[in-house]
Amino acid sequence: MSGPNNGAVRFFYGTAAGRLCLQALLAAHADRLWAAVLHTRLSRCLIGPYARRHGILCPNAAAYGSFADFFAREIPHLPFDAAPERLISPCDGWLSVHSIQPGSCFSIKNSLYKIGDILQDEALAGQFTGGQCLIFRLCPSDYHHYCYIDDGYQGENHPIAGTLHSVQPLACETVPVYAQNRRSWTLLHTRHFGPVVQAEIGALAVGGIVNPHPGGPVYKGQEKGHFTLCGSTIVLLLQPGAAHLLPRILAEAEGGEARVAFGQWIGLAGDQP
């Protein structure tokens, strides 16, 4: 895992003084002020240092109107595995896999999350009992656009207002991040994996989850949307038997995290050998 729990996260979530400061900052909506600054031309000076720190190739930093424009940059023609029976990663990130227990719960760092709390829809959550929860944690250096994992039909988007905690491991151990953070989810009726819920979850300073498609037919590898500013998370909920992950991916992602890339083949449809 690359650089988990940076110094700021260790202070805000690992110390009593830091947690008090974090509560005050969240109550004062300081994240909104910082996000506003990052949308101004003054923030362009941050692009070069940020790109160097995270190893991002950025030969044309001066072309962006703000740091936010740089962060939400598009990379045209990203490849993806087009084989219909292959499950792909919707984004760059670190993947962890969790089984969904009776009661529609899954466990992260000894904490139970109720899918009903994340979706605010208990009936839908119950449809995924016994299935898998795939969590893709994006880092600042990752490409923050994401795609559809299969051909199918998208239902309406369901945005849920919330706060903006970090999604780094220490924060996830301290607070129920995925049930508290700002998020949006939709139900996908996919051709090869059945009903799939995809949820996008914001994080510190991530003021925007941009999902421009209101619903209708979708296609594998087609862009679904993007985040604006800093790290964030995507969650996929799969029903029992819908897919099985490749052994190498599963070995790293159960109890840990596997590094994956946008469009990468990570598993097979459940009816495949």
Side-chain angles (χ1 to χ4, degrees), residues 17-211:
R19 288 190 287 271
L20 286 174
C21 289
L22 179 62
Q23 290 177 10
L25 289 171
L26 292 174
H29 301 295
D31 57 302
R32 298 180 185 177
L33 176 60
W34 180 234
V37 170
L38 294 180
H39 280 84
T40 69
R41 293 180 63 84
L42 294 174
S43 65
R44 292 192 301 172
C45 64
L46 302 174
I47 296 175
Y50 183 93
R52 289 190 293 272
R53 184 186 318 116
H54 296 290
I56 300 171
L57 295 176
C58 185
N60 59 339
Y64 297 102
S66 67
F67 180 88
D69 290 342
F70 159 73
F71 187 84
R73 68 197 179 281
E74 292 190 42
I75 301 177
H77 311 303
L78 273 181
F80 64 93
D81 194 308
E85 73 281 3
R86 292 183 174 181
L87 176 66
I88 62 171
S89 171
C91 60
D92 293 340
W94 291 92
L95 168 63
S96 59
V97 179
H98 309 270
S99 61
I100 302 173
Q101 303 298 326
S104 298
C105 293
F106 62 92
S107 177
I108 299 178
K109 303 293 185 182
N110 299 317
S111 296
L112 283 178
Y113 282 85
K114 289 190 65 180
I115 296 176
D117 291 338
I118 296 175
L119 305 181
Q120 296 185 358
D121 188 325
E122 293 288 350
L124 179 60
Q127 297 179 27
F128 293 88
T129 298
Q132 291 180 306
C133 175
L134 278 57
I135 298 177
F136 302 82
R137 182 175 63 85
L138 286 73
C139 296
S141 58
D142 289 327
Y143 181 55
H144 274 64
H145 292 243
Y146 42 88
C147 69
Y148 294 102
I149 61 167
D150 194 14
D151 295 350
Y153 186 92
Q154 175 191 313
E156 65 179 300
N157 295 304
H158 297 267
I160 298 175
T163 188
L164 291 174
H165 286 288
S166 169
V167 296
Q168 297 236 0
L170 181 58
C172 293
E173 294 176 22
T174 308
V175 296
V177 168
Y178 303 127
Q180 290 188 3
N181 276 20
R182 188 176 305 164
R183 55 203 183 275
S184 179
W185 65 266
T186 188
L187 177 62
L188 305 173
H189 298 277
T190 70
R191 180 172 298 176
H192 298 93
F193 306 99
V196 175
V197 166
Q198 179 165 328
E200 294 84 32
I201 302 174
L204 275 176
V206 185
I209 299 171
V210 181
N211 289 322

